[in-house]
Amino acid sequence: GAGVSQSPRYKVAKRGQDVALRCDPISGHVSLFWYQQALGQGPEFLTYFQNEAQLDKSGLPSDRFFAERPEGSVSTLKIQRTQQEDSAVYLCASSSTNGGHYNEQFFGPGTRLTVL
Amino acid sequence: RKEVEQDPGPFNVPEGATVAFNCTYSNSASQSFFWYRQDCRKEPKLLMSVYSSGNEDGRFTAQLNRASQYISLLIRDSKLSDSATYLCVVNQAGTALIFGKGTTLSVSS
């Protein structure tokens, strides 16, 4: 079946520009996660949704980062006034977990953001 | 101090070699433990979960020592296709995954 998809796969933005990154999770998956992976680093948690509720946004690096999942399916990560340090791969993952215990998180291919 | 620490490598080994990766984690409340594999410019994929009793999947053996907060991965009879970055991962209460920086393995013929 279809896995997690993300778009665009590549995005080049000028510093100060706003960007929106989209994630389509596996159908029926309750939980959705966003991670940021800088070059040479492991992914770092940004935010977590259970259905449409954003239960944890402790990893968002600044108030320029905003995520939503209004209908409990597709999610969008928005970065306002992009800075060069925002350059990274943004990974989305989904799982069927309903909290409490771990279910495997399946990752999308990521969006590679380059801020010039 | 990072919550999950691993030697970044790179580990350069010939085909057929046995190689071991180690990882330590700082949060004793961590409940679940994994090794993920990430190929160059690809997304991470679950390689195997790690249990205190130790577990094996073909050429791969993973071990967890909760007392020492230490996780290991052993790869026997390395193949060219094993070349990748191996990420040590911990999880608390079924939410965010905490990744190490990754250990790069390069297997050559």
Side-chain angles (χ1 to χ4, degrees):
Chain A
V4 178
S5 61
Q6 293 186 245
S7 61
R9 292 291 313 280
Y10 303 91
K11 177 70 180 176
V12 178
K14 290 183 180 175
R15 191 172 54 183
Q17 214 174 350
D18 297 350
V19 297
L21 313 180
R22 177 187 167 110
C23 172
D24 283 81
I26 293 172
S27 177
H29 274 192
V30 168
S31 295
L32 186 146
F33 303 81
W34 283 98
Y35 295 85
Q36 179 191 59
Q37 186 171 22
L39 190 63
Q41 304 294 319
E44 294 201 355
F45 169 74
L46 294 176
T47 188
Y48 159 57
F49 290 86
Q50 190 174 110
N51 297 305
E52 69 279 2
Q54 189 174 20
L55 297 187
D56 187 349
K57 54 182 181 179
S58 61
L60 296 176
S62 78
D63 59 8
R64 296 186 295 104
F65 286 70
F66 171 76
E68 60 183 5
R69 193 186 185 198
E71 295 176 2
S73 177
V74 171
S75 177
T76 304
L77 176 67
K78 297 179 180 177
I79 310 173
Q80 296 177 322
R81 304 181 304 282
T82 52
Q83 304 294 314
Q84 285 188 320
E85 63 262 27
D86 300 335
S87 296
V89 176
Y90 290 85
L91 293 162
C92 176
S94 71
S95 79
S96 60
T97 189
N98 209 7
H101 66 280
Y102 179 78
N103 284 347
E104 182 178 351
Q105 292 184 23
F106 295 87
F107 284 82
T111 294
R112 185 173 297 273
L113 173 65
T114 303
V115 181
L116 303 177
Chain B
R1 183 187 167 198
K2 292 273 289 180
E3 200 163 334
V4 179
E5 304 250 23
Q6 352 175 196
D7 179 351
F11 284 60
N12 298 303
V13 303
E15 275 186 291
T18 295
V19 61
F21 304 140
N22 304 315
C23 160
T24 56
Y25 62 95
S26 59
N27 191 334
S28 58
S30 299
Q31 297 178 354
S32 306
F33 308 89
F34 312 94
W35 285 100
Y36 271 69
R37 172 190 168 131
Q38 187 170 28
D39 292 292
C40 189
R41 301 179 82 86
K42 298 283 191 183
E43 71 271 24
K45 290 186 178 174
L46 180 64
L47 177 67
M48 59 197 301
S49 300
V50 189
Y51 305 109
S52 297
S53 52
N55 48 301
E56 192 173 301
D57 182 2
R59 298 180 294 107
F60 299 82
T61 301
Q63 203 86 38
L64 165 67
N65 184 321
R66 283 188 185 267
S68 306
Q69 296 181 197
Y70 172 95
I71 306 164
S72 65
L73 177 68
L74 183 77
I75 305 176
R76 290 182 300 279
D77 188 23
S78 300
K79 311 288 185 194
L80 293 175
S81 56
D82 293 335
S83 297
T85 296
Y86 291 82
L87 297 158
C88 178
V89 186
V90 305
N91 178 252
Q92 295 147 28
T95 57
L97 297 175
I98 311 296
F99 288 83
K101 197 173 175 176
T103 299
T104 301
L105 172 66
S106 178
V107 182
S108 56
S109 57

